[in-house]
Amino acid sequence: ALSNLRNAWRMPLLREAFLGLGATEYPTVEALSNLRNAFESGDVDAVKAAIGTGVNAGVHELSHLVLWIGDSPSAGGFFAGEMFHTLNTEITVEEHLQWIRLLLEAGVRTDAFMDRETLLVRAVTRRSLQNWAAHTRVVHFLLEHGVDPNDGGPRNPPLAALVNNAQGNFFTERGFAATASAKNAFMERSRLLLDYGADPTLPADNVTATARWGEGALTVANFWRDTYPNQREFWNAYIDLLIQYAERA
């Protein structure tokens, strides 16, 4: 909302109200440059100083790194904005992971919503043909940091979001696993969520083309099994896994 009000000189009070409620300004080029320098120093205190002290300080930057880890402007595609060019130019996956860890250690909140979803949902559902493992490691980072495995924001719990997005993000529309790496990422992220306490029966609040009100990961997994015969063996094993964890709860 603040980005839309930045130049709205007739509504300064409304803008101040948003700031008072915890909204944060989109970082300037100078601020991003300072943050990158802080990242490269490896000093948590320098990172804290660079992001500021507001309740949502660093949320934009952490969300960006979680979403775009390992991507580079030189790779082509849709890469726009100063944040992407400042934080994604000539950076390795390992450096991005270290920067994410620094932001977590600096105390950036992980329960804020970006586009109506939490950071954990962003990491869990992220499709990355080149960096499946990197996004899975981010999921592990967040869970190790104490992120609630059942908090996905106003849409879906993280596990339900992962299963709801299985076909679009991890499988092809014809019903076969896109790649072994994609299937492995789906299973690794599922097990991480379950090991940290995700509830496979928790109902979702979002309506999609495949999920209706009140359907959680277990129900949607059954839907995929019945819809895609070529995936039946995979989903039978996956459903058994979810039931095992549900019975332990």
Side-chain angles (χ1 to χ4, degrees):
L2 276 181
S3 60
N4 293 327
L5 294 173
R6 185 178 299 170
N7 297 317
W9 60 273
R10 292 184 179 179
M11 295 184 287
L13 294 180
L14 183 58
R15 180 173 172 281
E16 291 301 318
F18 272 101
L19 289 170
L21 291 171
T24 57
E25 297 273 17
Y26 195 82
T28 64
V29 175
E30 181 180 3
L32 288 169
S33 179
N34 289 338
L35 179 59
R36 176 160 178 160
N37 289 337
F39 282 148
E40 291 175 346
S41 75
D43 186 343
V44 175
D45 289 333
V47 173
K48 288 181 179 179
I51 63 175
T53 58
V55 64
N56 289 314
V59 167
H60 278 299
E61 294 85 341
L62 180 56
S63 179
H64 170 88
L65 291 175
V66 166
L67 188 63
W68 294 108
I69 182 171
D71 284 309
S72 169
S74 62
F78 178 72
F79 302 124
E82 289 297 336
M83 187 178 298
F84 190 89
H85 287 282
T86 303
L87 301 184
N88 289 68
T89 298
E90 297 181 356
I91 300 300
T92 67
V93 168
E94 290 301 321
E95 286 171 318
H96 261 165
L97 288 168
Q98 176 61 16
W99 292 3
I100 289 171
R101 188 183 292 278
L102 284 168
L103 286 171
L104 293 175
E105 292 177 355
V108 176
R109 62 181 299 188
T110 56
D111 60 347
F113 300 155
M114 294 292 289
D115 297 325
R116 295 185 295 167
E117 61 189 19
T118 60
L119 286 169
L120 184 56
V121 169
R122 284 198 154 197
V124 160
T125 60
R126 184 64 171 152
R127 179 186 187 194
S128 179
L129 299 180
Q130 301 300 321
N131 297 312
W132 291 109
H135 287 281
T136 302
R137 288 174 66 184
V138 172
V139 172
H140 199 183
F141 279 5
L142 294 173
L143 292 168
E144 278 187 323
H145 192 70
V147 172
D148 185 348
N150 291 308
D151 183 11
R155 290 183 172 179
N156 297 320
L159 185 59
L162 176 62
V163 178
N164 280 346
N165 285 279
Q167 301 304 325
N169 290 1
F170 299 88
F171 296 83
T172 68
E173 61 183 12
R174 295 188 177 184
F176 296 94
T179 63
S181 296
K183 188 192 293 188
N184 289 339
F186 182 85
M187 290 303 302
E188 288 175 13
R189 295 175 198 181
S190 296
R191 287 187 177 277
L192 280 170
L193 289 170
L194 291 165
D195 286 342
Y196 277 86
D199 183 353
T201 66
L202 197 65
D205 295 325
N206 188 41
V207 176
T208 68
T210 55
R212 292 164 289 280
W213 290 107
E215 292 190 349
L218 188 55
T219 303
V220 178
N222 277 278
F223 177 86
W224 291 138
R225 179 197 57 193
D226 296 338
T227 302
Y228 293 96
N230 290 331
Q231 294 179 11
R232 188 168 301 247
E233 182 178 355
F234 173 85
W235 287 111
N236 277 334
Y238 189 80
I239 290 165
D240 288 343
L241 177 70
L242 296 186
I243 292 174
Q244 290 174 15
Y245 275 86
E247 290 175 345
R248 296 180 193 175

